[in-house]
């Protein structure tokens, strides 16, 4: 089995002990080897320089010059031994101009050439007159010696040579002593590395929740797969505000380019108005916030990541608000539809029984009249719609709400002076339909709860001037000033039931995004003209036309 695969089978602590221990041994061993060799080289150089300086000093002594010139071995032999002891050298050897020994630690070698057993021709000193250092195996063993030429009294002639040698045994002893110290240092470094590895492994495992690296890698892969399978957009940033997570759902929801890399970029470069930096600074989570981002209405949650009480990042998840509101409306209106269908079934059964009875008594004209009453008002409303607006989306929305009102037993009427034919092409129809749809639904529900069947919701439109104006009047219970101040707050409702308080908040958010304004005020006063006893409420939406007309004009310009 490969050693690396065997190492991966170990747990984190023994793995780190082995790795750090091996690194310590390799590092200290390499440094020790370099230090020992460097020390050996430096000591040899220093001893050689010392030997050469001693040799040069001896060669300049007048008595030595005279004795070598006269080849006075009797004088030079005891002098060499005396000088060797004084210089703490292993030997001092004198030779004449031909390199023949005149003095030597071994008297038997006197008179023999110095180059015979020393392996050195002495050429630099005897021929070139230059002092030098050499290392060789001589007659007394391996030594570093310094050699210097001996000149005559007048300095014109080389009359001999002096060699001062130091054995390498002392260098080896010093190097061996330091080698032992280095081995002790390597052992101490290994033990320190083992201790450090144990401490670091314990600390590291605590930081990663006692998980092994392979487990973390597997969880990271699972996390990435999970992020890519969820339908919600998910974005995460670190403590410095740089993006660490940006799943595909976030790119798709915000309609961002898919060929770009978002990981590692600062959040303000990609989403400048996301609000995540606020959570990063304050450490307070945001739940179900309604925001506009990249022209999309989103429901956003932002949660800070805490480690030891410090905010280390923020995770944000979001979905299109239309999807959330759609689910909420469907869930809250199922019961309403069931009640409506039950009442409508009862009402139409009565009408069918009436028609069947008229046919049985052969009153066909009266039966046709009853049937016609069901279609006359519907056709009249369609004709009025065609006169009010030519926009098919707006007309379809109003027609659907008219049918809804009929199902509830209510009337939806349009003021005869209404006109809405100057709708800018660039005005988002889906947002306009959402605004009117929510207002009409609320008006129908308020009218039904307060007035009962037979109540009326009145619409009034105007496209004169610089604004589009939409009014929705209901016959509900009306709003107090305190209720009017809170009516557009998300979650606030006057119905006292769960599942409400969403629609008007959505309306306010969309109107604001379109640059408009929405107001609420009491409806029509009672017969005595008293506003405090007025019936219902009037919601008015003002949308500026010039912004969307400008966009339409710009979009229609020829780019050429």
């Amino acid at each position: 089995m490969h050693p690396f695969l065997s190492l991966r089978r170990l747990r984190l602590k023994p793995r780190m002990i082995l790795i750090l221990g091996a690194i310590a041994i390799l590092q200290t061993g390499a440094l020790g080897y370099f230090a020992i060799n460097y020390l050996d080289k430096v000591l040899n150089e220093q001893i050689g320089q010392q030997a050469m300086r001693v040799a040069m000093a001896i060669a300049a002594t007048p008595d030595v010059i005279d004795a070598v010139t006269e080849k006075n071995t009797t004088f030079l032999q005891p002098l060499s031994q005396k000088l060797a002891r004084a210089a703490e050298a292993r030997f001092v050897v004198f030779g004449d101009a031909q390199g023949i020994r005149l003095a030597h630690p071994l008297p038997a070698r006197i008179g023999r050439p110095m180059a015979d057993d020393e392996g050195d021709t002495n050429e630099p000193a005897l021929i070139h007159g230059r002092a030098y250092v050499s290392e060789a195996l001589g007659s007394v063993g391996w030594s570093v010696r310094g050699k210097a030429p001996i000149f005559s009294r007048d300095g014109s002639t080389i009359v001999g040579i002096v060699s001062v040698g130091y054995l390498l045994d002392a260098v080896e002893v010093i190097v061996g002593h330091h080698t032992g110290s280095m081995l002790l240092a390597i052992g101490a470094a290994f033990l320190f590395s083992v201790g450090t590895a144990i401490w670091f492994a314990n600390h590291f495992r605590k930081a990663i929740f006692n998980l092994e690296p392979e487990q973390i890698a597997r969880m990271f892969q699972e996390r990435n797969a999970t992020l890519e399978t969820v339908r919600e957009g998910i974005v995460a940033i670190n403590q410095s505000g740089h993006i660490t997570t940006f799943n595909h759902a976030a790119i798709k929801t915000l309609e961002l380019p898919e060929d770009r890399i978002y990981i590692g970029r600062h959040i303000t470069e990609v989403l400048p108005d996301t609000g995540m930096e606020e959570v990063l600074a304050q450490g307070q989570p945001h739940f179900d916030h309604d925001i506009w981002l990249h022209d999309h209405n989103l429901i956003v949650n932002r949660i800070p990541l805490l480690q030891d009480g410090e905010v280390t990042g923020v995770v944000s998840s979001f979905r299109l608000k239309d999807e959330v509101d759609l689910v909420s409306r469907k869930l809250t209106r199922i019961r309403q539809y069931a009640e409506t269908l039950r009442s409508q079934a009862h009402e139409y059964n009565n009408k069918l029984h009436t028609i069947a009875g008229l046919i049985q008594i052969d009153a066909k004209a009266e039966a046709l009249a009853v049937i016609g009453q069901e279609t006359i008002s519907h056709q009249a409303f369609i004709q009025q719609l065609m006169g009010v607006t030519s926009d098919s989306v707006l007309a379809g929305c109003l027609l659907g709400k008219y049918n809804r009102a009929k199902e509830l037993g209510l009337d939806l009427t349009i003021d005869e002076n209404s006109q809405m034919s100057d709708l800018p092409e660039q005005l988002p129809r889906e947002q306009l339909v959402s605004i009117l749809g929510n207002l009409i639904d609320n008006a129908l529900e308020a009218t039904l709860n307060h007035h009962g069947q037979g109540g009326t919701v009145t619409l009034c439109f105007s496209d004169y001037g610089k604004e589009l104006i939409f009014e929705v009047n209901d016959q509900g219970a009306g709003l107090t000033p305190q209720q009017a101040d809170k009516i557009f707050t998300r979650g606030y409702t006057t119905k006292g039931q769960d599942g409400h308080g969403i629609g008007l908040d959505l309306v306010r958010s969309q109107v604001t995004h379109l640059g408009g304004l929405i107001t609420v005020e009491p409806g029509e006063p009672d017969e005595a003209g008293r506003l405090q006893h007025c019936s219902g409420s009037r919601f008015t939406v003002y949308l500026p036309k010039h912004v969307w007309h400008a966009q339409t004009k710009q979009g229609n310009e020829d780019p050429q």
Side-chain angles (χ1 to χ4, degrees):
M1 181 179 294
H2 197 279
F4 180 72
L5 297 178
S6 301
L7 186 63
R8 291 189 62 181
R9 291 177 178 270
L10 296 176
R11 298 183 68 83
L12 180 62
K13 183 182 292 186
R15 191 187 312 179
M16 295 189 70
I17 292 174
L18 288 177
I19 292 175
L20 292 181
I23 292 175
I25 290 176
L26 290 175
Q27 286 182 337
T28 54
L31 291 174
Y33 177 80
F34 171 78
I36 294 299
N37 282 276
Y38 182 76
L39 177 64
D40 181 69
K41 180 180 178 182
V42 169
L43 288 176
N44 286 338
E45 290 179 353
Q46 289 180 347
I47 293 175
Q49 292 298 320
Q50 180 181 354
M52 187 175 67
R53 287 193 297 268
V54 172
M56 292 174 65
I58 294 174
T61 304
D63 292 343
V64 172
I65 295 173
D66 294 340
V68 172
T69 303
E70 298 173 0
K71 299 183 180 181
N72 188 352
T73 302
T74 303
F75 175 78
L76 292 174
Q77 180 65 16
L79 179 63
S80 67
Q81 296 175 359
K82 181 179 179 181
L83 293 174
R85 288 192 297 271
E88 297 182 351
R90 178 64 180 84
F91 61 83
V92 174
V93 177
F94 292 102
D96 60 13
Q98 288 73 39
I100 302 300
R101 294 188 182 94
L102 300 176
H104 194 276
L106 300 176
R109 298 201 178 255
I110 297 175
R112 296 176 60 181
M114 296 173 66
D116 286 350
D117 52 5
E118 294 180 3
D120 188 351
T121 62
N122 304 308
E123 180 178 339
L126 294 175
I127 297 178
H128 302 290
R130 177 171 54 83
Y132 69 97
V133 177
S134 69
E135 181 179 332
L137 179 63
S139 59
V140 293
W142 279 100
S143 61
V144 176
R145 73 283 302 273
K147 296 187 178 185
I150 302 174
F151 289 92
S152 61
R153 286 266 187 167
D154 58 7
S156 61
T157 306
I158 298 175
V159 296
I161 184 173
V162 59
S163 175
V164 178
Y166 290 88
L167 292 179
L168 294 178
D169 295 347
V171 175
E172 293 176 356
V173 171
I174 296 175
V175 172
H177 174 72
H178 286 284
T179 301
S181 300
M182 187 59 63
L183 292 176
L184 290 177
I186 291 175
F190 175 75
L191 294 177
F192 176 77
S193 298
V194 170
T196 303
I198 295 174
W199 174 84
F200 184 74
N202 291 331
H203 176 76
F204 187 69
R205 281 180 61 86
K206 181 180 178 182
I208 60 176
F209 305 101
N210 291 322
L211 297 173
E212 295 294 324
E214 290 74 16
Q215 293 176 305
I216 296 176
R218 184 169 58 253
M219 293 177 65
F220 180 77
Q221 294 175 342
E222 293 175 356
R223 168 255 195 193
N224 287 341
T226 302
L227 289 177
E228 294 303 326
T229 54
V230 297
R231 294 185 59 189
E232 286 196 352
I234 298 177
V235 178
I237 60 174
N238 59 18
Q239 198 169 18
S240 61
H242 290 84
I243 298 174
T244 58
T245 299
F246 208 101
N247 70 345
H248 186 265
I251 297 175
K252 186 176 180 181
T253 300
L254 299 176
E255 298 181 357
L256 297 174
E258 297 189 12
D259 57 345
R260 296 184 183 177
I261 298 176
Y262 299 98
I263 305 297
R265 297 175 61 183
H266 201 275
I267 188 64
T268 56
E269 297 179 14
V270 182
L271 303 173
D273 300 324
T274 184
M276 296 180 70
E277 285 194 311
E278 178 184 349
V279 178
L280 189 64
Q282 300 178 356
Q284 298 297 323
H286 295 168
F287 295 106
D288 297 330
H289 274 215
D290 182 2
I291 68 169
W292 281 93
L293 192 63
H294 274 249
D295 293 328
H296 293 82
N297 193 198
L298 306 174
I299 298 296
V300 179
N301 293 296
R302 310 182 189 98
I303 301 177
L305 300 177
L306 300 177
Q307 186 173 3
D308 298 330
E310 182 181 0
V311 180
T312 58
V314 178
V315 176
S316 175
S317 63
F318 52 87
R319 291 190 70 175
L320 290 173
K321 186 173 183 180
D322 292 344
E323 297 180 10
V324 178
D325 289 333
L326 179 61
V327 173
S328 177
R329 287 195 298 269
K330 286 182 177 179
L331 292 176
T332 56
R333 289 176 181 171
I334 289 177
R335 186 163 56 87
Q336 297 177 9
Y337 282 135
E339 294 295 332
T340 301
L341 290 175
R342 189 159 40 246
S343 62
Q344 288 296 312
H346 179 71
E347 178 182 355
Y348 278 100
N349 281 334
N350 291 334
K351 291 182 179 179
L352 288 175
H353 293 158
T354 301
I355 294 172
L358 291 173
I359 294 175
Q360 289 177 356
I361 64 176
D362 203 21
K364 297 179 181 180
E366 289 79 359
L368 292 174
V370 172
I371 296 173
Q373 290 175 359
E374 293 298 313
T375 59
I376 291 175
S377 59
H378 191 271
Q379 292 298 325
F381 187 82
I382 293 176
Q383 291 295 327
Q384 187 181 17
L385 267 182
M386 295 175 62
V388 169
T389 181
S390 59
D391 189 89
S392 58
V393 176
L394 178 59
C397 172
L398 297 178
L399 184 58
K401 296 305 178 184
Y402 174 82
N403 294 329
R404 170 63 179 158
K406 286 299 181 183
E407 291 175 358
L408 297 174
L410 302 175
D411 288 328
L412 179 64
T413 63
I414 299 178
D415 187 271
E416 59 183 10
N417 296 319
S418 296
Q419 184 64 38
M420 189 57 62
S421 59
D422 191 19
L423 278 174
E425 294 181 7
Q426 295 296 334
L427 180 65
R429 295 302 192 270
E430 68 279 3
Q431 294 185 26
L432 179 61
V433 166
S434 177
I435 293 171
L436 290 179
N438 275 286
L439 291 178
I440 295 173
D441 285 341
N442 283 345
L444 293 175
E445 187 173 358
T447 301
L448 182 63
N449 291 338
H450 180 68
H451 190 281
Q453 293 188 352
T456 302
V457 173
T458 305
L459 309 179
C460 184
F461 311 136
S462 175
D463 57 3
Y464 298 115
K466 298 180 180 180
E467 294 179 318
L468 305 176
I469 302 175
F470 301 87
E471 289 185 0
V472 180
N473 294 271
D474 62 54
Q475 293 181 338
L479 297 173
T480 65
Q482 293 78 12
Q483 291 173 329
D485 291 338
K486 300 178 182 180
I487 195 65
F488 296 108
T489 302
R490 184 175 182 83
Y492 179 80
T493 177
T494 60
K495 302 177 179 64
Q497 300 175 6
D498 294 335
H500 294 276
I502 298 176
L504 289 179
D505 173 62
L506 174 65
V507 170
R508 176 198 55 79
S509 177
Q510 291 176 329
V511 169
T512 302
H513 177 66
L514 296 176
L517 174 69
I518 182 170
T519 63
V520 58
E521 55 188 346
E524 296 297 332
D526 62 5
E527 295 179 356
R530 294 172 298 180
L531 288 174
Q532 63 269 28
H533 297 104
C534 64
S535 175
S537 302
R538 177 189 299 116
F539 287 84
T540 307
V541 175
Y542 302 89
L543 299 178
K545 290 194 296 184
H546 64 278
V547 177
W548 306 104
H549 275 307
Q551 292 188 10
T552 303
K553 181 178 180 181
Q554 182 179 1
N556 291 334
E557 289 179 351
D558 188 351
Q560 301 296 328

